Amino acid sequence: MEERDPEGMVMKIEEEEEGRDDDDDSDMDMREPLLQLEREREKKKRRNNNTSQLAIVGANVCPIESLDYEMIENDLFKQDWRSKTKHEIAQYVFLKWTLALLIGLSTGLVAFFNNIAVENIAGFKLLFTSNLMLSHRYHHAFAAYVASNMLLSVAAASLCACLAPAAAGSGIPEVKAYLNGVDAQAILAPSTLLVKIFGSIFGVAAGFVVGKEGPMVHTGACIANFLGQGGSKKYRLTWKWLRHFKNDRDRRDLVTCGAAAGVAGAFRAPVGGVLFALEEAASWWRSALLWRTFFTTAVVAVVLRVFIQLCRDGKCGLFGEGGLIMFDVNSALPAYTTPDLLVVIFLGVIGGLLGSLYNYLVDKVLRTYSIINERGPIFKVLLVMIISFLTSCCSFGLPWLSKCVPCPPHLGDQCPTVGRSGHYKNFQCPPKHYNDLASLFFTTNDDAIRNLFIAGSDKRFQFATLLIFFVAIYFLGIITYGIAIPSGLFIPVILAGASYGRLVGSLVDSFTSLDVGLFALLGAASFLGGTMRMTVSLCVILLELTNNLLMLPLVMLVLLISKSVADCFNKGVYDQIVEMKGLPYMEAHAEPYMRQLIASDVVSGPLFTFSGIEKVGNIVHTLKVTRHHGFPVIDEPPLSDAPELCGLVLRSHLLVLLKYRTFSKQRGMTGSSIMRKFKAHDFAKPGSGKGIKLEDLDISEDEMEMYVDLHPITNSSPYTVLETMSLAKAAVLFRELGLRHLLVVPKTPGRPPIVGILTRHDFMPEHVLGLYPHLDPHK
């Protein structure tokens, strides 16, 4: 039988049978394994899961929880759905599409604003420095260049370090973890959104080897989360329709749309955005979500197209065209033969090797920076200032190593570029000459990519120029990622890959029919495949970016080769960052060692349960002494013939009952009064607010002795597995269904109706291998 101790734990009391013959050897042989099994069960009940509940989000350590993607089918939820009319269901569907439209519009506007701000801030900075160079005031030009970069970088770092640490980095690992079911503090908060936008503008304009494309994914996710809050009492947005979105399931779908919209806004690649969300970001997908995501990215593409037409009329400032107009940068026809395919295969192999090395070095740098960032905001800003100074010295100093190149006669006034953005930077060269290394360093990252993708007939780069630029960008990209500014990895990787590809193209130019600009595109694809480990989405993004569909077979080939080679050494860069940050990410496949274990082998304890009608004091005490967010509810006699599992109740739902004091003095069924008093939306998850806290409740001593009926708020159909199920099978089930709690029930009758609860942390390798170190494949 079972007896409940004061702390609400299920304690087993063993009854000894008397009258047995202790000398009966056969009886002892039968009883010893049973006693050993019972002791093993007791040991599991006392087992604690000591895996970390903290993770690095951005550049800050934050507590983490899991999201409730499962539908909580309690009596209130069922009553709410039964009472819905067809008109209300139509309103809900209409609102989902309306929010998708708003996400697309908002993300498109932010993408345009980011681009115009970066182009103009960086453009005027470079124009002022170039004017000083033209008057041969080189020292003043260097001082002005370093000072402006330092000012912008300090502004970006201060925003991240002081206002929203979660905005540091690209944000893609955090969005990926969120869509997997991980909830971290401020990961998609409005403050994170604002800092992401302005911090990204300042960071990219400061000349760092970072991109605004990665942060745009996080920005789109933040916009979607903000719009999908389900209303707010604080701002009197309590429209009845909005209440439908006060759950993690609908927010997850909106955030998926937002992430796809971010890619579409960054690269003007609507189809690539959908495929990115499908291949890399989302852990759950369905056909209905595909339609809405496609609609959202299409809206982004239309918004950007409208503003591109506006910018072509010269209404976006002196440097307004830059990042949005990347189409048709290379008009060369991709005619290729068998020798060209051999070179492409070589590109893919070397790109995979360099990409895996890039990931390895990024991981080491991030671990080093995390030690510095933990020391406080001052150290974060100092680290950013050091990297800014180093980057400025490289951008300004390395072009002096390059020789001046005469301008092609047919270009006329276009070469050298003076007083505007362009491909031919004068730098320190005499009239009618340009510095090809300055054309890559002394410009925005978008213009540098455009320079590398341009056809060889339009512009030639010296071999030494490409080599210096490749080495500098490769290592600057590594040491820049991880500082406390919004920073994307796409652009540094594309820059390094494009320079590497053009370098190889210039070496084989004599016996190949492919243009060196197309080799730059293939080099960028090889690096992206070697670092990101994506295939379909990257292929479509690159083709939409360059508007060159004829390169499809070669891009596919180089992506497949580079990914296959790099997979032999380590994981993709975002997977590595998720692991390094300590985010408990559930992989799509189970680890091989999990097949040697069963579900009950990793269940941690002690297990806290409630009766169907529970004393208020027991609930309050259990909530105080635990951090659990789900508790099994067990009906016992006289409510049932024998102890049976009624379901699962959430901490947040218990706090609502305690707050509104739905108690009774007698221990009886009072569910009908609770059903009349509450609606399902009263237990909905709050938006950006903190929700109800136990510390805020003021329950008297008399109320502690009263009772509360938990049946109306108990999920009567939680997912359960037998204790003998393979841990690998349980892990796949947990991930595919998007669960937060998975109940483990006994296989044999006559025992307590529940063995334990499996949560996300119980499947983590550090927990499983900590219990069974002999299964560690690395030992």
Side-chain angles (χ1 to χ4, degrees), residues 476-775:
L476 281 175
I478 290 170
I479 65 172
T480 304
Y481 191 81
I483 59 177
I485 63 169
S487 52
L489 274 173
F490 270 99
I491 292 301
V493 171
I494 291 176
L495 278 172
S499 56
Y500 150 73
R502 195 166 184 116
L503 185 66
V504 173
S506 63
L507 288 174
V508 300
D509 188 43
S510 57
F511 58 89
T512 183
S513 54
L514 272 178
D515 182 73
V516 290
L518 299 180
F519 269 111
L521 173 62
L522 293 174
S526 72
F527 256 54
L528 286 168
T531 54
M532 311 293 182
R533 311 294 163 83
M534 293 179 278
T535 51
V536 180
S537 57
L538 285 179
C539 182
V540 174
I541 287 172
L542 286 172
L543 294 178
E544 288 185 287
L545 189 67
T546 57
N547 199 27
N548 198 337
L549 190 61
L550 296 176
M551 288 295 290
L552 176 62
L554 294 183
V555 174
M556 290 174 64
L557 178 64
V558 78
L559 279 170
L560 287 170
I561 293 173
S562 61
K563 181 188 184 305
S564 301
V565 171
D567 279 339
C568 298
F569 298 96
N570 49 32
K571 296 181 179 180
V573 65
Y574 295 131
D575 295 321
Q576 283 190 172
I577 294 171
V578 166
E579 184 177 333
M580 189 275 296
K581 286 176 174 288
L583 296 165
Y585 187 86
M586 291 287 295
E587 297 288 350
H589 60 277
E591 298 294 339
Y593 58 79
M594 289 185 175
R595 301 193 180 278
Q596 305 179 45
L597 301 171
I598 59 175
S600 62
D601 286 336
V602 299
V603 167
S604 54
L607 179 65
F608 292 80
T609 68
F610 292 125
S611 295
I613 301 173
E614 187 58 86
K615 185 180 287 188
V616 174
N618 281 345
I619 297 176
V620 172
H621 185 80
T622 303
L623 295 180
K624 280 183 179 179
V625 299
T626 68
R627 293 187 302 170
H628 302 168
H629 289 266
F631 301 91
V633 176
I634 296 175
D635 276 338
E636 298 172 340
L639 296 178
S640 60
D641 296 333
E644 65 178 32
L645 180 64
C646 178
L648 186 79
V649 65
L650 298 182
R651 170 185 283 262
S652 58
H653 293 183
L654 290 171
L655 290 172
V656 174
L657 284 186
L658 293 177
K659 178 182 178 181
Y660 291 100
R661 292 173 168 78
T662 53
F663 312 143
S664 62
K665 293 182 179 180
Q666 303 299 323
R667 185 171 186 176
M669 302 284 286
T670 58
S672 56
S673 63
I674 294 176
M675 297 285 287
R676 289 192 299 270
K677 183 176 181 180
F678 292 102
K679 300 294 182 183
H681 61 77
D682 294 322
F683 295 86
K685 187 169 183 177
S688 299
K690 303 296 182 182
I692 303 173
K693 297 293 183 182
L694 184 63
E695 298 77 19
D696 300 332
L697 302 180
D698 184 18
I699 300 176
S700 65
E701 291 295 329
D702 292 338
E703 290 173 328
M704 288 287 191
E705 298 300 319
M706 299 175 74
Y707 295 90
V708 59
D709 188 356
L710 301 182
H711 291 96
I713 63 168
T714 298
N715 181 7
S716 57
S717 56
Y719 286 96
T720 61
V721 296
L722 286 175
E723 59 182 339
T724 54
M725 177 182 278
S726 160
L727 185 62
K729 193 173 181 180
V732 173
L733 176 70
F734 191 96
R735 202 256 193 192
E736 291 300 319
L737 294 175
L739 304 181
R740 186 176 187 178
H741 305 99
L742 182 60
L743 277 59
V744 181
V745 297
K747 185 178 178 64
T748 55
R751 293 168 50 197
I754 183 167
V755 176
I757 298 179
L758 288 173
T759 63
R760 177 177 297 269
H761 286 279
D762 293 317
F763 293 103
M764 292 297 106
E766 53 267 29
H767 174 59
V768 178
L769 297 178
L771 296 175
Y772 306 98
H774 63 280
L775 297 177

Side-chain angles (χ1 to χ4, degrees), residues 37 49 70 270 401 739:
L37 180 61
N49 189 335
E70 179 190 0
L401 302 175
L739 304 181

